[in-house]
């Protein structure tokens, strides 16, 4: 894969307090890279250094193999969309005007801007005729955040930075926007760097997850490996708080009953018995993407690692005996 962002021996201090401590990190083009950790772990500071909203005290950060400090910062930021937790739409601008801010600064024609706005609104199931000229105050919180995402995407940036963008929303809106991010990423392939304090959200969205604590990355790997092989007690505890106890009780058969699994059958896959608890599937998903589900000697469907993560990252638990 091709690196798009690299941190090399990066540290950041505010006065005498070190908030990022000798960070080495490579983010590959086209992945959803999630920074997760408790408050004060350095996630947002790391994100802000990528688009030079904060400068490192030591070390260098590279964007497309060129040091960020060597770019024209304003022009570089046009290649990076930014979505905040605080819904930061311009209140006196309508939806169309908010979305086309960067394309207009880049000199796009009115025709191109109009086409881009309508195409993007359609992508997120907002009818352009109904939403194009609404002011932000006429939108729900979830709708406002959709427009914030579209504004970040409007100029076709190479990187999208997302700083806890859904944490202030209700569970239904948050889940819908998580699905939107996954859908847009699948369609566009844009590199997304996503900050959250919620391991469930990290598991659901991340191609890779970097778990941060006290300014350091304590583990960086795929969701499958982090679930199956947490490197430290901190990582293990952080995951346990977001659903591992339930994974020790819920069986593959429960996911089948709830409709999480595909009914398609591929006889070439490894097999898993329907009575296996989810906790015992994690290690296998570190090696294979899917398993054929066997019940009473018959193949009844396919369990993908995304199915398990979708179950673990939902917002309500099921009753278990």
């Amino acid at each position: 894969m091709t690196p798009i962002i690299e941190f090399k021996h990066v540290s950041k201090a505010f006065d005498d307090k070190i908030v990022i401590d000798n960070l080495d990190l490579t983010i590959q083009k086209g992945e959803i890279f999630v920074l997760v950790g408790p408050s004060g772990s350095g996630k947002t500071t790391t994100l802000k250094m990528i688009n030079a909203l904060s400068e490192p005290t030591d070390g260098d950060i590279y964007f497309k193999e060129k040091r960020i400090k060597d770019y024209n910062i304003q022009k570089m930021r046009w290649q990076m969309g930014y979505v905040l937790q605080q819904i930061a739409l311009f209140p006196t601008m309508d939806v169309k005007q908010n979305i086309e801010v960067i394309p207009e600064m880049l000199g796009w024609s009115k025709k191109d801007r109009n086409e881009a706005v309508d195409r993007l609104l359609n992508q997120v199931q907002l009818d352009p005729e109904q939403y194009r000229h609404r002011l932000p105050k006429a939108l729900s919180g979830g709708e406002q955040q959709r427009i914030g995402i579209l504004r970040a995407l409007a100029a076709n940036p190479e990187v999208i930075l997302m700083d806890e963008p859904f944490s202030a929303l209700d569970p239904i809106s948050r889940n819908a926007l998580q699905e939107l991010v996954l859908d847009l990423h699948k369609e566009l392939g844009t590199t997304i760097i996503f900050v959250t304090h919620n391991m469930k959200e990290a598991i659901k969205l991340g191609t890779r997850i970097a778990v941060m604590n006290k300014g350091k990355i304590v583990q960086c790997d795929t969701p499958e490996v982090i679930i199956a092989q947490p490197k430290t007690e901190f990582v293990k505890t952080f995951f346990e708080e977001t659903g591992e106890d339930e994974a020790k009780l819920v069986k593959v058969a429960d996911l089948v009953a709830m409709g999480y699994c595909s009914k398609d059958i591929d006889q070439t896959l490894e097999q898993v018995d329907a009575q296996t608890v989810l906790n015992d599937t994690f290690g296998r998903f570190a090696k294979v993407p899917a398993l054929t589900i066997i019940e009473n000697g018959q193949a009844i469907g396919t369990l993908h690692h995304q199915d398990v993560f979708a179950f673990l990252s939902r917002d309500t638990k099921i009753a278990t005996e």
Side-chain angles (χ1 to χ4, degrees), residues 62-250:
Y62 294 79
F63 173 48
K64 297 191 296 185
E65 301 184 333
K66 179 179 175 180
R67 292 190 309 173
I68 284 178
K69 64 177 68 174
D70 294 333
Y71 278 91
N72 176 308
I73 297 301
Q74 184 61 54
K75 291 183 178 179
M76 184 199 74
R77 286 176 179 159
W78 288 342
Q79 299 178 61
M80 297 183 182
Y82 197 21
V83 184
L84 299 168
Q85 175 183 344
Q86 300 79 17
I87 302 169
L89 300 181
F90 298 109
T92 59
M93 292 184 178
D94 64 22
V95 165
K96 176 179 179 297
Q97 291 168 326
N98 267 283
I99 294 173
E100 66 182 6
V101 166
I102 300 300
E104 187 171 15
M105 293 173 65
L106 291 172
W108 289 24
S109 69
K110 184 176 180 180
K111 178 177 179 292
D112 287 343
R113 297 200 309 270
N114 289 342
E115 289 177 353
V117 167
D118 287 0
R119 172 176 51 80
L120 289 166
L121 286 171
N122 281 319
Q123 278 183 311
V124 298
Q125 290 77 52
L126 295 177
D127 181 5
E129 293 297 327
Q130 293 185 35
Y131 284 89
R132 194 185 294 125
H133 296 301
R134 287 189 185 180
L135 291 174
K137 66 182 180 181
L139 306 175
S140 69
E143 288 171 341
Q144 289 185 44
Q145 201 61 303
R146 282 174 185 252
I147 302 307
I149 293 171
L150 296 188
R151 185 173 63 186
L153 286 167
N156 302 317
E158 297 194 53
V159 173
I160 302 287
L161 308 176
M162 307 187 83
D163 189 4
E164 303 213 37
F166 311 142
S167 60
L169 300 176
D170 64 89
I172 293 175
S173 296
R174 182 167 64 245
N175 183 68
L177 286 169
Q178 289 168 352
E179 294 294 335
L180 172 63
V181 167
L182 290 171
D183 288 344
L184 291 173
H185 180 259
K186 183 176 181 180
E187 181 176 347
L188 303 174
T190 308
T191 304
I192 298 174
I193 304 166
F194 193 104
V195 164
T196 182
H197 65 273
N198 187 315
M199 185 62 110
K200 285 187 178 183
E201 191 164 61
I203 290 167
K204 182 173 183 177
L205 296 178
T207 308
R208 284 191 301 148
I209 299 171
V211 184
M212 295 192 71
N213 190 35
K214 298 180 180 179
K216 292 179 176 289
I217 291 177
V218 292
Q219 186 168 359
C220 181
D221 220 314
T222 63
E224 297 93 326
V225 172
I226 286 179
I227 290 172
Q229 304 166 21
K231 283 187 176 180
T232 69
E233 189 63 27
F234 173 82
V235 176
K236 184 175 185 293
T237 302
F238 203 69
F239 175 63
E240 284 176 346
E241 292 174 354
T242 62
E244 190 183 75
D245 286 344
E246 192 175 11
K248 293 175 182 176
L249 299 172
V250 175

Side-chain angles (χ1 to χ4, degrees), residues 272-285:
V272 61
D273 189 271
Q275 297 306 308
T276 303
V277 296
L278 293 188
N279 194 61
D280 292 340
T281 69
F282 296 157
R284 298 180 71 180
F285 281 130

